[in-house]
Amino acid sequence: MNARVAVVGSGYVGTVVAACLASIGREVVGVEADEAKLAQLSAGESPFFEPGLDQLLAAAHQSGRLRFTRDIADAVDSSEVVFLCVGTPPGANGHADMSAVRSAAASIGRALRTPHVLVTKSTVPIGSGHWLASVVEAAYDGPQPIDELLAIASCPEFLREGNAIEDFLHPDRIVVGSDTPAAIDKVFAVYRPIIEQDFDGGDPDRCPAAVRTTLLTAETVKYASNAFLATKISFANEIAQICELVGADASDVMATIGLDSRIGPRFLDAGVGWGGSCFGKDLLELISTAHDFDHVPTLLQAVVDVNNYQRRSVIERLHRHLKTLAGKRICLLGLAFKPGTDDLRDAPAVAIAAALLAAGAVVTAHDPMILSVRDLPELQIEVDPLAAAKRADAVVLLTEWPAYLALAPEALAFAMRGRLIIDGRNALDGDDYRRSGFTYEGIGRAVSR
Ligand code: UGA
């Protein structure tokens, strides 16, 4: 079966899903309300930066298997499976703002005339699937009983920004939850080439697990996955704090505990902590859900607290070395929440820059992908790292872009007036910097390795 697919919402997840499904042979229609973005997408161009996405979109566009429309009714008419990929930003009371989901679901309800599986791909609060069915039902005005036309499924997305296409096409698992078994079959049918890895570029030795489950379990899996990853990082950061107190080296501790296959080596890099549009938002949602049931999620709250401390600790470190920060020149290397993206959402660097500016520091920055930060007009962004470091009292590495690892310490020393470098990602060779006369401080790193 080659189910025709609609993807509602052409943000980050939606565009990747649409382009990837078209690349494995599905007929896909994507929905985008914004005229400028629609024009770009219709020309086969990505409206945002993601490695490889432009090429994939252009190829899908040329193959004729992917088109975009602003009309949800058109997309519903042209499909049997609809993936909901609209934004769910943080709303009031810690819960996600579901207004875009509600409005898309109502439009789908009005357009529904033939059987459809409506699949949530956006990260939606646990219980949203059942709520969604009621929204579609309320908007539906056709002659056939709605139960014959609508099944709801959840197929959470686990892709990472900067690695999105690889993650989508070569996932560890594909999870589909629904209370209607036939709906799960339909979604798996859409994913079949990925499950069997028999598309052009597939790797038959890395077939993902295909997990069938209930709607509520699938919705919870998404939050539990992100919460666990964030927990690993906060754990590494907590251990790093202790390492600093006792004089041990967090990078070596983490690399060594990661050799235990029960623990694993990934997501244990200590630093200024996690950011991005997902971990913070999803933890907040999960914590709020627990509170709704009068449960106090102690561990999850601690994960957030440790992460907030990692950001504050950068300011504390600068205070310790430079004393007052007013008038001091601080250069930040990297602004994006991680390398490989231009995404500034909940980026540690933005919070740190705001705190430094509030303390009266002169803050300069460089990031290969970012030329301005809308909320921080006082932040002086330069087009190369050495220009940003000019006359700086301290340099703080916040995003481990490869270009910063290749910087010569002597060149940085020549540009700066001070000799302090804080390595917020434990990405630099501290001894190299010390040999060039720097005071080097990593996160949880021993004085000399
Ligand atoms: C994360 C998850 O990894 C994806 O599986 C998920 O699909 C996505 O959220 C989502 O829910 O949409 P993403 O936010 O793109 O993906 O970024 P990650 O690569 O997970 O990194 C998140 C943050 O953790 C970054 O700020 C990174 O610098 C930080 N990090 C990561 C650490 O501080 N230490 C580590 O060891 C790993």
Side-chain angles (χ1 to χ4, degrees):
M1 178 198 78
N2 190 4
R4 293 171 311 150
V5 172
V7 178
V8 178
S10 304
Y12 200 86
V13 169
T15 307
V16 171
V17 169
C20 287
L21 289 180
S23 81
I24 59 160
R26 302 297 172 240
E27 296 283 330
V28 183
V29 49
V31 179
E32 176 53 51
D34 180 278
E35 284 297 343
K37 273 174 78 182
L38 181 64
Q40 269 183 297
L41 289 161
S42 299
E45 289 163 20
S46 170
F48 49 81
F49 173 74
E50 173 63 31
L53 186 58
D54 264 327
Q55 293 90 311
L56 207 64
L57 275 173
H61 182 66
Q62 263 179 358
S63 73
R65 284 196 297 270
L66 176 62
R67 71 179 176 92
F68 287 89
T69 175
R70 68 189 314 276
D71 181 9
I72 292 192
D74 167 17
V76 172
D77 277 352
S78 315
S79 65
E80 290 108 41
V81 178
V82 179
F83 288 95
L84 253 190
C85 298
V86 296
T88 51
N93 311 327
H95 283 298
D97 176 351
M98 296 291 279
S99 50
V101 176
R102 178 194 292 276
S103 143
S107 304
I108 291 166
R110 284 191 290 277
L112 206 61
R113 290 296 176 269
T114 54
H116 276 74
V117 182
L118 177 54
V119 190
T120 52
K121 263 243 164 269
S122 317
T123 302
V124 290
I126 301 165
S128 292
H130 296 136
W131 166 81
L132 209 56
S134 70
V135 177
V136 177
E137 196 172 336
Y140 174 68
D141 60 0
Q144 234 177 306
I146 184 88
D147 294 341
E148 292 173 14
L149 298 186
L150 178 72
I152 305 277
S154 160
C155 176
E157 188 46 64
F158 303 108
L159 58 81
R160 289 163 298 169
E161 289 189 24
N163 216 46
I165 293 165
E166 161 73 16
D167 285 349
F168 188 88
L169 293 174
H170 304 280
D172 291 334
R173 76 290 205 200
I174 292 167
V175 180
V176 183
S178 177
D179 302 339
T180 313
I184 301 181
D185 295 336
K186 272 210 157 160
V187 181
F188 278 152
V190 171
Y191 272 92
R192 193 205 48 75
I194 298 178
I195 295 171
E196 293 175 7
Q197 288 288 303
D198 65 356
F199 60 93
D200 187 16
D203 179 353
D205 294 331
R206 281 177 55 201
C207 289
V211 180
R212 299 174 79 92
T213 187
T214 65
L215 200 47
L216 288 168
T217 300
E219 288 170 350
T220 308
V221 161
K222 172 66 194 183
Y223 287 101
S225 295
N226 274 357
F228 187 73
L229 292 170
T231 303
K232 281 189 94 173
I233 301 168
S234 282
F235 175 82
N237 282 326
E238 176 106 64
I239 296 292
Q241 290 167 25
I242 296 172
C243 283
E244 251 174 67
L245 296 172
V246 300
D249 187 286
S251 299
D252 290 348
V253 170
M254 288 306 140
T256 309
I257 71 166
L259 294 173
D260 185 329
S261 58
R262 292 170 303 174
I263 296 173
R266 298 172 72 191
F267 276 69
L268 287 178
D269 292 332
V272 289
W274 41 264
S277 63
C278 305
F279 285 178
K281 171 172 79 88
D282 292 355
L283 273 165
L284 198 64
E285 177 65 46
L286 199 51
I287 289 170
S288 301
T289 302
H291 285 161
D292 289 347
F293 291 86
D294 290 328
H295 174 71
V296 179
T298 313
L299 177 62
L300 299 182
Q301 190 54 58
V303 170
V304 174
D305 294 345
V306 169
N307 200 56
N308 289 337
Y309 174 72
Q310 294 307 110
R311 297 174 181 198
R312 280 202 313 279
S313 83
V314 172
I315 313 296
E316 285 174 16
R317 286 169 202 276
L318 290 169
H319 267 304
R320 189 161 18 89
H321 289 281
L322 302 177
K323 308 302 173 199
T324 57
L325 294 179
K328 298 281 160 59
R329 292 182 70 89
I330 313 293
C331 161
L332 307 181
L333 293 183
L335 292 169
F337 82 99
K338 65 175 185 179
T341 172
D342 59 358
D343 198 335
L344 287 173
R345 286 176 290 178
D346 197 23
V350 174
I352 290 165
L356 289 171
L357 288 167
V362 178
V363 189
T364 58
H366 172 265
D367 188 291
M369 294 295 297
I370 291 156
L371 293 176
S372 69
V373 177
R374 202 186 40 213
D375 297 337
L376 296 176
E378 293 162 83
L379 180 63
Q380 300 172 25
I381 302 184
E382 304 289 346
V383 290
D384 84 81
L386 292 179
K390 198 168 169 201
R391 295 182 56 246
D393 294 292
V395 165
V396 187
L397 180 101
L398 293 174
T399 315
E400 65 279 32
W401 286 102
Y404 304 146
L405 316 193
L407 275 177
E410 308 78 51
L412 210 55
F414 188 73
M416 294 169 66
R417 66 182 178 199
R419 287 292 176 275
L420 174 63
I421 183 149
I422 310 279
D423 180 1
R425 294 293 181 182
N426 287 348
L428 304 172
D429 183 335
D431 287 338
D432 238 16
Y433 275 87
R434 286 191 194 98
R435 273 193 294 273
S436 297
F438 276 91
T439 298
Y440 167 91
E441 219 175 83
I443 310 294
R445 281 194 142 176
V447 167
S448 189
R449 281 160 69 74

